[in-house]
């Protein structure tokens, strides 16, 4: 256990997970053997809160460019979508703890955690794996597109995008997810 100070002055906690995992495995074994009477509260099964139905689909826009976030937010809000934004992958991970969007619009090149890393994180998280992702990036080469599709990204758009094309892609993906 420890921490480090990043270049921007923020403090990041560093965890050594191996001892925690070993301790948890040993505790589970003792519970199964019956040598521990009561399961600790942190090991109790998590009951998922009921998901409230939204009147409008929630789209999260993840891009380090404030201009792209603002422009995309305006386009989506005019089309009657609810919008959340994140400035990079880590910011998105934090916000995804509190809300689960119906769709994620994701840039590739961002500081701290890029779009590939965030998409991979989401595809490996049981709660987030079904959220469709549309990548919107200036990286329009075939190798970038292929890597995104291999991770599990549904659509791949180049910047600058046409508003009509973006809205059509968003509608198609959301329509497909609701079926």
């Amino acid at each position: 256990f420890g921490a480090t100070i990043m270049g921007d002055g923020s403090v990041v906690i560093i965890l050594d997970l191996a001892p925690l995992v070993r301790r948890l495995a040993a505790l589970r074994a003792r519970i199964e053997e019956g040598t521990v009477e009561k399961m600790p509260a942190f090991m109790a099964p998590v009951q998922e809160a009921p998901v409230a139905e939204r009147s409008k689909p929630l789209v999260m826009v993840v891009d380090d460019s404030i201009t792209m976030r603002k422009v995309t937010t305006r386009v989506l809000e005019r089309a009657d979508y609810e919008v959340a934004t994140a400035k990079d992958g880590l910011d998105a991970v934090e916000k995804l703890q509190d809300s689960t969007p119906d769709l994620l619009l994701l840039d590739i090149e961002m500081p701290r955690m890029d779009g590939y890393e965030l998409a991979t994180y989401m595809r490996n998280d049981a709660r987030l794996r079904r959220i469709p992702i549309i990548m919107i990036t200036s990286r329009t080469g075939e190798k970038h597109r292929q890597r995104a599709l291999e991770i599990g990204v549904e659509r791949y758009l180049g910047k600058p995008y046409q508003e009509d094309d973006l809205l059509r892609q968003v509608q198609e993906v959301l329509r497909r997810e609701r079926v």
Side-chain angles (χ1 to χ4, degrees):
F1 295 91
T4 187
I5 299 174
M6 302 299 287
D8 65 357
S10 62
V11 177
V12 177
I13 295 174
I14 301 170
L15 296 176
D16 184 6
L17 292 178
L20 295 173
V21 171
R22 285 193 297 270
R23 188 169 161 199
L24 180 62
L27 185 56
R28 280 197 172 136
R30 289 190 300 175
I31 289 170
E32 289 174 7
E33 293 169 357
T35 57
V36 174
E37 279 182 29
K38 185 179 170 194
M39 182 181 297
F42 74 89
M43 288 181 66
V46 176
Q47 294 197 2
E48 292 196 21
V51 178
E53 287 292 319
R54 290 193 254 283
S55 60
K56 302 177 185 179
L58 174 62
V59 179
M60 180 178 281
V61 178
V62 185
D63 197 310
D64 60 326
S65 164
I66 190 166
T67 304
M68 281 302 296
R69 287 195 310 268
K70 284 183 176 184
V71 167
T72 306
T73 296
R74 280 192 213 112
V75 168
L76 292 167
E77 286 177 342
R78 277 196 317 258
D80 208 29
Y81 291 101
E82 194 175 321
V83 181
T85 61
K87 63 184 179 222
D88 60 32
L90 282 181
D91 190 30
V93 168
E94 288 176 21
K95 292 181 178 182
L96 287 167
Q97 302 307 312
D98 299 327
S99 68
T100 306
D102 298 297
L103 172 67
L104 202 86
L105 301 182
L106 179 60
D107 185 22
I108 291 178
E109 294 179 310
M110 297 180 291
R112 301 196 307 164
M113 179 187 271
D114 70 23
Y116 293 130
E117 292 167 327
L118 177 58
T120 301
Y121 169 83
M122 290 175 65
R123 292 302 176 244
N124 289 308
D125 183 302
R127 189 176 65 84
L128 305 174
R129 95 171 23 117
R130 295 194 186 276
I131 299 172
I133 300 171
I134 297 176
M135 272 199 170
I136 304 174
T137 178
S138 57
R139 296 284 186 166
T140 57
E142 188 55 35
K143 71 177 185 176
H144 299 288
R145 175 185 305 271
Q146 195 57 41
R147 181 174 175 198
L149 295 175
E150 286 170 3
I151 292 170
V153 170
E154 276 71 19
R155 306 283 173 100
Y156 195 94
L157 298 175
K159 285 182 185 174
Y161 61 81
Q162 297 297 315
E163 288 183 20
D164 294 342
D165 188 31
L166 174 66
L167 290 174
R168 184 175 44 76
Q169 299 278 353
V170 167
Q171 289 166 354
E172 286 176 8
V173 169
L174 289 175
R175 193 175 311 121
R176 192 190 72 216
E177 290 301 311
R178 289 183 181 186
V179 172

